[in-house]
Amino acid sequence: MERSQRADHILDVAGELLVAWGYGRVTIDEIARRAKVGKGTVYLHWKTKDALLLAVMLKAQSHIHQRQLELMRADPLEILPSRMLRRHFLDFQGEPVLRAFYTDDADILGRLNDTAKKEFAELMAQGDRHLRRHLEVLREHGLVRDDTDVHHQQYALLATSNGFFTAEALLSDRAPDTLEVRADILARTIRSALEVSADAGPGSGGPDSGPGSDLGSGPGSDSGSRSRSGSRSRSDSRSGSGPDAASARMRVAAAAAAPEIIACYEHFNELCAQEMRRQIRD
């Protein structure tokens, strides 16, 4: 097994044990035993248990960012906050280590949570700066509202998404049945708070009435509404007005905004990789 493959395998085993046992019970000896490597081999990669488990968190974060980048490259509309947060919400459910970090789950992370916040302070600050720039670019292209301060929009985005993540534990007995439904509720909430409707021009500042319904598949799509307005929509499209033309304009705006936003997240992903390398023994 090559060095990088061996390190990935150790990280996977360490992550499973961290979630199953919690920070206090996980030992390098047990990680080595489960990974079928010597204890010394683990220490060839990481100086301490904390460094190893911090790398587990970074690897999970990197997976989410890689998936988001792939989606953005494939479809520029994935830069919209509602779509991005919907996907993040679904992805986080598959990354229990990150769920524990963002909900301050002391049973799993113990003191590692405080260590991570100190070790990742600059990385988290960079993430905030990238999110701010993301919103600024969307505003410049008329894809989100511009009638409020961008800092307030960023706070609303973070507070709403963190609330939905926390609700998975606090409101589990009162939540809608499926994860997909809860993700759709998050998307609609973000869309209503931040985005503009497909037929609103740049700088309109108006609240969103559901761009997902105008832009094909995705959260909040409304195929019934499209079919009911079929002939009128085709006629409006030919005349340069109506939902089809508005959707086309939004796609053009998203395509224009996407390269800078993608570059922001590529940079952030590289920062995560650098931090991960910093945790590895020289």
Side-chain angles (χ1 to χ4, degrees):
M1 185 182 298
E2 294 183 2
R3 181 183 176 89
S4 60
Q5 292 176 322
R6 184 175 61 200
D8 280 342
H9 178 57
I10 293 170
L11 285 173
D12 290 340
V13 170
E16 292 169 3
L17 286 174
L18 178 61
V19 172
W21 290 8
Y23 173 84
R25 290 185 58 200
V26 174
T27 65
I28 292 293
D29 292 279
E30 186 60 24
I31 292 170
R33 189 181 72 80
R34 296 287 185 99
K36 294 181 171 57
V37 298
K39 181 177 177 181
T41 300
V42 177
Y43 283 119
L44 283 175
H45 294 276
W46 295 278
K47 303 178 183 73
T48 64
K49 182 177 88 168
D50 280 8
L52 168 57
L53 296 180
L54 289 172
V56 168
M57 299 171 72
L58 286 166
K59 182 180 179 182
Q61 186 77 60
S62 179
H63 281 168
I64 286 182
H65 285 295
Q66 287 286 6
R67 285 193 289 269
Q68 186 63 46
L69 279 168
E70 290 170 5
L71 289 170
M72 288 178 176
R73 290 171 185 140
D75 182 357
L77 290 172
E78 292 297 325
I79 67 175
L80 293 174
S82 59
R83 293 188 177 219
M84 186 179 77
L85 264 296
R86 182 182 188 278
R87 173 48 51 193
H88 272 311
F89 180 79
L90 293 172
D91 284 345
F92 264 84
Q93 309 317 312
E95 300 287 358
V97 173
L98 289 183
R99 285 208 317 270
F101 176 67
Y102 281 93
T103 58
D104 287 326
D105 191 332
D107 290 339
I108 291 178
L109 296 184
R111 72 178 180 85
L112 185 67
N113 206 29
D114 293 332
T115 303
K117 288 176 179 177
K118 292 176 184 176
E119 290 285 314
F120 299 158
E122 178 54 29
L123 192 63
M124 293 168 71
Q126 286 279 6
D128 283 345
R129 287 191 283 271
H130 282 84
L131 179 57
R132 174 80 65 89
R133 185 56 191 153
H134 183 165
L135 290 171
E136 288 171 348
V137 173
L138 293 177
R139 287 162 67 101
E140 291 166 7
H141 290 271
L143 292 166
V144 298
R145 298 173 61 169
D146 61 4
D147 60 344
T148 187
D149 187 273
V150 67
H151 176 69
H152 296 176
Q153 288 179 316
Q154 182 176 9
Y155 178 79
L157 190 68
L158 293 172
T160 303
S161 58
N162 284 336
F164 271 79
F165 295 149
T166 303
E168 286 298 289
L170 298 180
L171 300 176
S172 59
D173 59 332
R174 284 174 278 172
D177 289 340
T178 70
L179 193 61
E180 290 281 339
V181 169
R182 299 195 293 277
D184 287 342
I185 295 171
L186 171 58
R188 285 195 297 272
T189 303
I190 295 295
R191 194 160 58 234
S192 297
L194 298 182
E195 296 174 14
V196 299
S197 62
D199 57 354
S204 67
D208 172 56
S209 60
S213 65
D214 296 322
L215 301 171
S217 62
S221 62
D222 185 0
S223 58
S225 175
R226 288 196 303 277
S227 63
R228 287 193 297 271
S229 61
S231 59
R232 177 174 59 82
S233 295
R234 288 190 292 273
S235 175
D236 288 342
S237 178
R238 287 192 295 270
S239 66
S241 62
D244 288 349
S247 297
R249 287 194 296 270
M250 182 169 277
R251 285 187 176 274
V252 169
E260 184 172 352
I261 291 172
I262 288 171
C264 278
Y265 287 100
E266 286 174 337
H267 180 239
F268 184 71
N269 215 33
E270 176 55 30
L271 293 176
C272 288
Q274 290 175 10
E275 180 62 29
M276 197 165 180
R277 290 193 291 270
R278 192 174 71 85
Q279 301 297 331
I280 295 176
R281 180 182 289 277
D282 295 331

